[in-house]
Amino acid sequence: RRFGKTLNMSMLQCFFEDTNASDTNRMRRALFSGLKITEFETICHEHMGKYPVISLSLKSARQSTFAYAFGCMKQVIGAEFARHESILEKIGNEETRNRYCRLRDGLGVMEDYLTALAFLSQCLTKVYGKKTILLIDEYDVPLEASYYNGLLLADNREEGKNNLAKMLGSLPEGMEPKGSILAQFLTSEARGRE
């Protein structure tokens, strides 16, 4: 069952991400020194350390109710907003900064989270002047939990199911060419069940 998917996502993040810190970028380049990829000098020159990256794992969203799963997803999304906090003063007007802070601090309502990653990618693209790379590890955990464990047995089963579908369906928003996401990489946790 273990195929190194999470390690691969970390490697992609290290390869593509511009951390906005020259020392960190230099250390990340050194990780690839002597590896086969460095023989492709044009690819490395054009893509290594050149993009903002959004990286999340939805593994913690395997919960017994929608409320718990949503709480875990809020924490994961908030941590990613906090990781990119250095862009806060560069992203626009006060309303935009307030929305950013609500998401970072886990104070948003469902509607804020439905498009949170599209919003973050737009902010990053504006600040960096480059489209964002989106990495989502174990994106299907909330779906699997809802299917196999009845996760959506919340106060209102239909509302819970619809909110989860909307939230997960909105993750890759902005993927079209005019959007703010250059590429997405998703890993799946799914495995066969008896």
Side-chain angles (χ1 to χ4, degrees):
R1 177 173 174 276
R2 309 308 307 171
F3 293 105
K5 297 183 298 271
T6 300
L7 180 62
N8 192 42
M9 295 298 256
S10 296
M11 183 267 309
L12 288 169
Q13 182 177 354
C14 286
F15 183 85
F16 287 117
E17 188 167 44
D18 177 357
T19 64
N20 216 11
S22 57
D23 289 344
T24 304
N25 285 346
R26 202 172 13 266
M27 286 183 345
R28 286 186 170 187
R29 270 189 187 58
L31 291 173
F32 295 92
S33 179
L35 299 179
K36 188 77 171 167
I37 187 69
T38 59
E39 293 176 16
F40 300 91
E41 293 176 17
T42 303
I43 289 172
C44 289
H45 177 72
E46 292 176 4
H47 300 290
M48 189 184 288
K50 302 289 185 181
Y51 302 98
V53 172
I54 297 171
S55 180
L56 328 156
S57 171
L58 298 184
K59 184 176 187 171
S60 66
R62 182 187 324 282
Q63 300 296 326
S64 60
T65 68
F66 174 77
Y68 291 148
F70 180 55
C72 289
M73 291 173 76
K74 283 173 64 171
Q75 288 178 348
V76 167
I77 290 170
E80 191 62 9
F81 273 77
R83 194 172 77 80
H84 292 288
E85 193 168 45
S86 65
I87 70 168
L88 191 55
E89 295 306 316
K90 303 172 190 170
I91 60 173
N93 62 29
E94 186 176 349
E95 183 180 331
T96 302
R97 288 191 296 276
N98 287 340
R99 180 178 181 200
Y100 191 100
C101 290
R102 277 195 317 272
L103 290 162
R104 177 200 63 199
D105 299 339
L107 301 174
V109 295
M110 173 59 75
E111 291 74 21
D112 289 322
Y113 291 94
L114 293 178
T115 58
L117 298 182
F119 172 67
L120 180 56
S121 70
Q122 290 161 2
C123 292
L124 290 167
T125 295
K126 179 178 182 178
V127 170
Y128 282 85
K130 293 198 174 202
K131 291 186 177 191
T132 304
I133 305 281
L134 176 63
L135 307 172
I136 304 177
D137 195 19
E138 300 195 21
Y139 80 95
D140 61 335
V141 164
L143 295 172
E144 181 198 25
S146 69
Y147 182 79
Y148 289 112
N149 303 331
L151 166 83
L152 303 173
L153 296 173
D155 295 338
N156 179 333
R157 182 181 174 93
E158 278 307 306
E159 181 182 340
K161 183 165 62 173
N162 290 337
N163 285 338
L164 184 62
K166 283 181 199 170
M167 177 176 270
L168 293 175
S170 72
L171 294 179
E173 282 209 5
M175 302 304 283
E176 67 278 357
K178 65 182 184 288
S180 58
I181 296 183
L182 176 67
Q184 68 174 339
F185 299 90
L186 308 173
T187 67
S188 170
E189 198 269 343
R191 57 187 180 270
R193 291 227 179 188
E194 297 298 317

